[in-house]
Amino acid sequence: MSAYSGLSWSDLLFLLDGAGKTILLTALATLFGTVLGIALGWLRDSSRLVGWIVAPYVDVTRSVPLIIQFVLFNSFIAIAGYPLNPLWSGTIVLSSYMGVFTSEVVQAGLQAVRPELRRAGRSLGMGYWTEMRYVTAPLALRVVFPSWIGLVIGLTKDSALVGVIGYIELLRASQILINRTNEAILILLGAGLFYFIICYPISRYSQTLERKLKQ
């Protein structure tokens, strides 16, 4: 490798470390964002008042570019005197972003369940939570799951923007190597391969789970 490009095996390890940080950031943001999105989506479906209250938060998060959200959040917490590690700053912003879009998907999934089925469950003596667990949630999951997987894959790629606040994930690591070696094509091909390795198994496994949900 070094005979042709000036790269060394330590550079490959540097890229692998960046890929590991991308996976960690994506996993944390997916976990917290999904929990937030489920709660927010359920509340918005259950109460018009809640939907009206959180509408500004949802609209702003969806409309403002993610890179601006990273910069503003990181600047505000620094000005407030509570600077955070770039990992946690990125996790908070990405979780909020993921939560908003997940809430949209969850709300759409809940609304896709026919009211007649909900009423049928209640007429059989089920309480609200029992009906939600055995009737509404399983049916809504079939609608929500494919879209949620798309959000996770998109979140993996959006995590590259966290480099703007100093987190050295996969793309930022690639940029550092490009600046040192001037081998943009080779390094970006390697970074793209790593993103493919991360995202493709998620997509394939989701297709298997989706078929099981439809059985």
Side-chain angles (χ1 to χ4, degrees):
M1 182 181 295
S2 59
Y4 296 97
S5 64
L7 295 171
S8 65
W9 291 111
S10 62
D11 296 327
L12 177 59
L13 295 178
F14 186 59
L15 280 180
L16 287 173
D17 181 66
K21 291 181 177 178
T22 292
I23 294 172
L24 174 61
L25 177 62
T26 302
L28 291 172
T30 298
L31 174 61
F32 297 139
T34 299
V35 172
L36 172 63
I38 291 174
L40 194 58
W42 170 71
L43 288 171
R44 293 174 66 191
D45 178 69
S46 302
S47 171
R48 291 185 179 180
L49 177 60
V50 173
W52 180 78
I53 292 174
V54 302
Y57 162 64
V58 172
D59 291 338
V60 169
T61 303
R62 292 179 59 185
S63 303
V64 177
L66 191 53
I67 192 170
I68 295 178
Q69 296 183 41
F70 283 126
V71 174
L72 290 179
F73 177 80
N74 201 54
S75 299
F76 286 154
I77 61 173
I79 293 172
Y82 300 99
L84 291 176
N85 182 289
L87 170 62
W88 293 112
S89 293
T91 297
I92 291 172
V93 175
L94 280 178
S95 297
S96 173
Y97 187 78
M98 178 70 173
V100 164
F101 282 92
T102 301
S103 73
E104 295 281 306
V105 172
V106 169
Q107 184 181 18
L110 293 173
Q111 291 176 349
V113 179
R114 291 174 8 190
E116 294 85 354
L117 296 176
R118 292 186 175 187
R119 289 195 293 267
R122 299 299 292 272
S123 67
L124 293 174
M126 295 182 180
Y128 175 83
W129 292 110
T130 303
E131 181 272 324
M132 177 64 71
R133 177 181 177 184
Y134 291 104
V135 179
T136 301
L139 293 174
L141 182 60
R142 298 183 180 184
V143 178
V144 170
F145 186 72
S147 299
W148 178 79
I149 288 295
L151 292 177
V152 173
I153 294 175
L155 187 71
T156 304
K157 293 178 285 187
D158 288 338
S159 66
L161 298 174
V162 185
V164 75
I165 59 174
Y167 187 66
I168 304 179
E169 39 65 56
L170 179 54
L171 187 60
R172 180 58 180 158
S174 301
Q175 291 172 337
I176 292 173
L177 291 181
I178 290 172
N179 291 335
R180 184 176 66 79
T181 65
N182 202 31
E183 292 289 346
I185 294 178
L186 182 59
I187 293 173
L188 289 178
L189 283 174
L193 177 61
F194 278 127
Y195 277 112
F196 177 79
I197 292 173
I198 294 170
C199 295
Y200 184 71
I202 297 175
S203 177
R204 294 295 299 175
Y205 185 60
S206 70
Q207 292 176 7
T208 302
L209 290 179
E210 188 177 350
R211 286 194 294 268
K212 291 181 179 180
L213 289 173
K214 291 180 178 181
Q215 292 177 355

